[in-house]
Amino acid sequence: MDNRKLADALRILSMDGVQKANSGHPGAPMGMADIAQVVWRQNMRHNPKNPQWANRDRFILSNGHGSMLIYSLLHLSGYDLPLAELKDFRQLHSKTPGHPEYKITPGVETTTGPLGQGFANAVGMATAEKILATQYNKEGFPIVDHYTYTFMGDGCMMEGISHEAASLAGTWKLGKLIAFYDDNKISIDGDVDLWLTDDTAKRFEAYGWHVVRGVDGHDDEAVAAALKEAKTVTDKPSLICCRTTIGFGSPHKAGTGASHGAPLGVEEIKLTREALGWEYDEPFFIPKEIYEAWDCTAKGATYEAEWEKLFAAYAKKYPVEAAEFTNRLAGDVPEGWEEKFDALTAQWQAEGIKVASRKASQMVLNHIGPDLPGLIGGSADLAPSNLTIWDGSKAITGDDASGNYLHFGVREFAMSAISNGIALHGGFLPYAATFLIFMEYARNAVRMAALMGLHVVFIYTHDSIGLGEDGPTHQPVEQPAMLRITPNMESWRPADAVETAVAWKRAVLRKDGPVALMLSRQNLIPQKRTPEQVKAIEKGGYILWESSAKPEVIVIATGSEVSIAMDAAKRLASDGVAVRVVSLPSCEVFEKQSDQYRQSVLPAKITKRVAVEAAIADYWYKYVGLEGKIIGMRSFGDSAPAEDLYEYFGITTDAVYAAAKSLL
């Protein structure tokens, strides 16, 4: 079977899918079809009948707008993606959404579309492969041994995250990462010569990559030779620069922006079929012999069976390592881990530890690190401030991947997207840290973690104006609200060491989405609690203190402001006011509780409420109502010692006391 004809099948399905939907991007799939044929048919080791096979090669379409390419590849290769789904492209609840989505389509490894992030995810996957192989492979037993392939377009190359991620990939010497650059010189606005004049090959060489230049992306033999060359270089990631024609085959739209983001049109599709020599006029029709040539199910089953045999022999010789490896891929915690962790929390409650929550977080890491071999993380060049290095931390380098700590440098966006890729690969619980304000640099990757439901922990220290003298450029104000309103995100702003420990417990055990920990720079006053109250922290919000079981007014607080709320409440109680203090470290977790529980903490009939938090005030109207009072920020911060800032912005015991009094 002629390889060009096999690639043309991808072109036909892609342009027909976009045409039927009357929406989409046919140009990139048509331009990259020949490259895709070489990668998927001739090189990739994968099993369409088991998309989660542990040792499969990973494929990431970073230029995710070309999604009909991956859908066509999955369909032809034998994945559970019938032709009816391709005909339902971009329609409600189909398995072929506008951009590839993780957990929606079998065989899609990550959600892509925000350009450059798929590439950074690929760096994360290749990082995970290298570390896991170093940790578990034994002589004669390469149980972790696979490649990560990614396709990138001009848009990916322009995004800043590609620079960040490429630099780290070169530094870490990710020899099993192979990227294909679809150099078609067209983006939405047209010919990129007006705005993309980089020497991409030189740039990647400077990052420490092996680069194959000037490959004809429509010559399958040239592509295959470049890929073969890339695989011989084991100490560098490889970039294969392929010159292609966007919309290849279209007589009037190939090589132009007209084929990028719109259907070709019925007449142009007819002409394209003729130009390609495709003799079938019926949309979506692929002849049997082409299906048979593309089908990877038998080969994939063989690949997996060979690996299963290898792993069985490995498990016989190295039973402890095999069991640990299996547990890590499943994301399981050791038996008895929760009980051991709860004992630590009880100990801290009894001792009344007074530390910053960032320090408490480090103390948690020291406790859980030895029990969780899959724990891996790092900081965006803020380890001494984020306190992310624990006693058992060992830095990962290009020459030694046996460690568990990643120095990301000042690369918040890449750090977060790479951590997403590590989580997607499996076998690890990644954490990524920076100042809360610099979550803004990484915002879209954090959103993508929530969208995909990834098990990632984001550690954000210096959580308020309480960081002090660094001033408003470093003081988060609106960021807590942004995290809280992000679907499927769970954020915690703990009031002391005990709440920090509980937040970390949730971060370890939650598997269906990320957890963000907003931690203080300054020391926090330990709060008194009963064992029942300590247990209630896990519900996200609970009654911390009350002067009466029938309060007149409720004061709600988080983080460092809980102590302010407590002081104000006790003053109110001394005046004879029936008052309740509610600590609400995680609004999202609290809102997942039963209506009965939420009403027991914040009864709807008690409308006299005050919320206090050193963050944007408006968020709290959902808890206090329009008639309630909010003590918080309504502007950016300022540069001064923390105590002066709290006084200046009116986040004080006196302010909370006065606000509550005004409601009575």
Side-chain angles (χ1 to χ4, degrees):
M1 176 63 64
D2 178 56
N3 287 337
R4 172 58 61 82
K5 190 64 67 175
L6 296 176
D8 285 345
L10 299 172
R11 295 184 172 99
I12 295 299
L13 291 174
S14 295
M15 69 181 185
D16 285 350
V18 172
Q19 185 64 40
K20 187 174 187 298
N22 197 29
S23 172
H25 302 75
M30 296 173 73
M32 298 196 78
D34 298 295
I35 306 168
Q37 186 275 137
V38 172
V39 174
W40 276 69
R41 284 192 64 255
Q42 301 178 32
N43 285 273
M44 271 185 59
R45 295 171 61 88
H46 59 117
N47 184 2
K49 298 306 179 186
N50 182 12
Q52 298 305 310
W53 171 41
N55 201 42
R56 67 192 181 278
D57 288 340
R58 270 66 169 177
F59 175 81
I60 297 90
L61 185 69
S62 188
N63 46 341
H65 54 271
S67 55
M68 271 304 302
L69 176 61
I70 193 170
Y71 299 149
S72 301
L73 286 163
L74 292 167
H75 168 69
L76 291 172
S77 297
Y79 284 79
D80 183 18
L81 195 67
L83 191 61
E85 292 290 349
L86 273 65
K87 293 179 179 180
D88 214 19
F89 179 51
R90 288 187 165 223
Q91 305 309 301
L92 186 64
H93 299 149
S94 77
K95 292 183 179 180
T96 51
H99 290 80
E101 292 190 37
Y102 177 63
K103 294 183 179 177
I104 299 294
T105 313
V108 168
E109 299 282 2
T110 182
T111 300
T112 57
L115 294 176
Q117 280 197 69
F119 171 60
N121 292 164
V123 172
M125 293 178 192
T127 301
E129 190 275 343
K130 182 173 182 176
I131 298 169
L132 209 59
T134 302
Q135 292 174 342
Y136 288 98
N137 286 358
K138 306 290 185 181
E139 186 175 353
F141 294 97
I143 61 169
V144 182
D145 182 17
H146 57 79
Y147 285 91
T148 301
Y149 300 103
T150 182
F151 284 5
M152 305 167 66
D154 290 310
C156 293
M157 289 298 189
M158 285 186 266
E159 288 287 356
I161 190 174
S162 74
H163 298 246
E164 295 181 20
S167 178
L168 284 169
T171 298
W172 294 337
K173 300 182 179 180
L174 303 179
K176 289 187 177 176
L177 172 63
I178 301 177
F180 289 84
Y181 172 29
D182 180 30
D183 182 15
N184 61 38
K185 300 195 180 303
I186 295 292
S187 65
I188 292 176
D189 282 359
D191 193 320
V192 300
D193 283 346
L194 291 176
W195 51 86
L196 180 60
T197 59
D198 306 3
D199 187 328
T200 299
K202 281 186 178 179
R203 173 157 74 89
F204 274 74
E205 285 172 346
Y207 290 143
W209 284 59
H210 168 70
V211 178
V212 185
R213 301 165 178 256
V215 177
D216 181 350
H218 301 299
D219 181 343
D220 64 291
E221 292 183 358
V223 174
L227 183 49
K228 184 178 180 180
E229 176 187 331
K231 288 186 174 182
T232 66
V233 180
T234 60
D235 61 345
K236 294 181 180 181
S238 290
L239 178 71
I240 300 175
C241 300
C242 297
R243 189 72 177 93
T244 65
T245 300
I246 191 171
F248 181 90
S250 172
H252 301 110
K253 297 185 178 182
T256 73
S259 67
H260 171 83
L264 296 181
V266 174
E267 185 59 31
E268 186 69 11
I269 284 178
K270 179 181 177 181
L271 295 174
T272 302
R273 277 181 157 80
E274 294 174 0
L276 292 173
W278 190 264
E279 56 192 272
Y280 311 100
D281 294 330
E282 181 184 347
F284 296 100
F285 178 77
I286 304 296
K288 180 181 178 181
E289 60 269 22
I290 289 183
Y291 270 119
E292 290 175 347
W294 265 106
D295 187 8
C296 296
T297 55
K299 187 164 56 174
T302 300
Y303 288 147
E304 184 170 359
E306 290 172 348
W307 182 85
E308 290 287 356
K309 184 178 179 180
L310 175 70
F311 188 74
Y314 177 89
K316 187 175 182 180
K317 189 169 184 179
Y318 304 103
V320 174
E321 291 87 342
E324 185 178 274
F325 178 79
T326 301
N327 288 340
R328 282 182 59 171
L329 291 182
D332 295 336
V333 298
E335 186 176 349
W337 182 86
E338 287 188 61
E339 292 78 6
K340 180 180 177 182
F341 193 84
D342 289 344
L344 173 76
T345 307
Q347 177 186 337
W348 284 8
Q349 181 63 56
E351 293 174 354
I353 299 173
K354 183 178 181 180
V355 294
S357 49
R358 62 170 176 160
K359 179 60 180 177
S361 173
Q362 186 183 48
M363 293 163 65
V364 171
L365 286 170
N366 277 321
H367 179 77
I368 67 176
D371 293 332
L372 300 177
L375 187 69
I376 187 170
S379 167
D381 200 49
L382 287 170
S385 295
N386 298 147
L387 301 183
T388 47
I389 293 178
W390 55 282
D391 291 345
S393 292
K394 178 185 176 183
I396 289 163
T397 69
D399 296 321
D400 183 1
S402 64
N404 56 11
Y405 193 84
L406 293 161
H407 288 280
F408 289 102
V410 188
R411 301 181 182 93
E412 295 86 356
F413 196 0
M415 171 184 70
S416 303
I418 288 170
S419 296
N420 289 348
I422 292 172
L424 286 160
H425 179 279
F428 295 93
L429 171 56
Y431 63 89
T434 186
F435 289 170
L436 178 54
I437 190 67
F438 299 136
M439 180 270 289
E440 294 293 343
Y441 279 126
R443 170 67 184 149
N444 201 258
V446 175
R447 182 179 188 269
M448 295 297 284
L451 178 63
M452 289 189 271
L454 301 183
H455 194 186
V456 181
V457 184
F458 296 108
I459 300 174
Y460 297 131
T461 69
H462 296 58
D463 67 344
S464 72
I465 59 171
L467 67 89
E469 294 85 348
D470 276 335
T473 62
H474 283 53
Q475 292 165 1
V477 172
E478 70 274 30
Q479 285 68 37
M482 292 172 66
L483 287 168
R484 289 167 180 151
I485 65 175
T486 301
N488 199 39
M489 173 61 70
E490 285 187 8
S491 60
W492 289 76
R493 188 167 183 256
D496 61 7
V498 172
E499 286 192 1
T500 304
V502 173
W504 254 112
K505 178 183 177 182
R506 176 62 179 172
V508 170
L509 295 179
R510 186 188 187 207
K511 293 186 179 182
D512 59 353
V515 173
L517 307 177
M518 297 182 281
L519 308 175
S520 73
R521 177 196 183 197
Q522 69 273 35
N523 287 344
L524 302 180
I525 298 172
Q527 301 298 324
K528 294 181 179 179
R529 301 178 186 84
T530 64
E532 291 73 24
Q533 286 175 307
V534 172
K535 185 66 177 174
I537 297 171
E538 295 186 25
K539 297 181 181 294
Y542 63 103
I543 301 169
L544 177 61
W545 183 86
E546 59 186 0
S547 63
S548 169
K550 296 181 178 180
E552 301 170 71
V553 62
I554 297 176
V555 181
I556 306 167
T558 78
S560 49
E561 289 72 71
V562 167
S563 60
I564 293 174
M566 286 291 292
D567 290 343
K570 290 179 179 179
R571 278 181 58 185
L572 289 164
S574 68
D575 290 350
V577 176
V579 60
R580 170 181 292 177
V581 175
V582 170
S583 178
L584 205 58
S586 180
C587 301
E588 304 95 306
V589 173
F590 179 71
E591 288 163 10
K592 292 178 181 178
Q593 306 308 312
S594 67
D595 183 67
Q596 181 181 10
Y597 178 77
R598 287 184 284 111
Q599 284 293 321
S600 72
V601 176
L602 294 172
K605 63 183 178 181
I606 302 176
T607 60
K608 295 179 174 60
R609 300 181 182 184
V610 178
V612 53
E613 185 180 56
I616 199 71
D618 287 355
Y619 174 82
W620 291 101
Y621 282 114
K622 68 183 293 184
Y623 289 108
V624 304
L626 295 179
E627 303 303 317
K629 300 292 184 180
I630 304 168
I631 306 301
M633 298 293 294
R634 290 177 169 82
S635 68
F636 295 115
D638 211 328
S639 178
E643 57 272 21
D644 295 343
L645 292 171
Y646 273 82
E647 187 70 32
Y648 176 74
F649 288 108
I651 304 174
T652 63
T653 298
D654 289 345
V656 176
Y657 173 84
K661 278 286 194 178
S662 72
L663 295 172
L664 301 174

